[in-house]
Amino acid sequence: MGEHAEARRLGVETRPVLVGPRSFLLLAKSTEPGFAPLRLLDGLLETYAELLERMAAAGVAEV
């Protein structure tokens, strides 16, 4: 989030783009045959929530 802070210091308002958690998992590649990436969704949602909270604390108004 350093780039966002730098842009704000320069007077540029940015809007970060974040791939959604389901899309992220469906795009993932596994080396394990039969692996179902969506089984990781619950844990990933917690991580996304934390990331969005950190972004809001850094002053990101819209994602």
Side-chain angles (χ1 to χ4, degrees), residues 9-54:
R9 281 193 300 274
L10 296 172
V12 177
E13 191 58 43
T14 63
R15 183 175 60 182
V17 176
L18 184 63
V19 174
R22 187 173 184 277
S23 296
F24 179 79
L25 289 174
L26 291 175
L27 290 169
K29 304 290 184 235
S30 173
T31 58
E32 184 179 319
F35 178 71
L38 291 180
R39 290 174 51 200
L40 301 173
L41 186 59
D42 288 340
L44 188 58
L45 289 175
E46 294 174 17
T47 302
Y48 266 67
E50 180 183 323
L51 175 59
L52 291 170
E53 287 172 6
R54 290 179 59 196

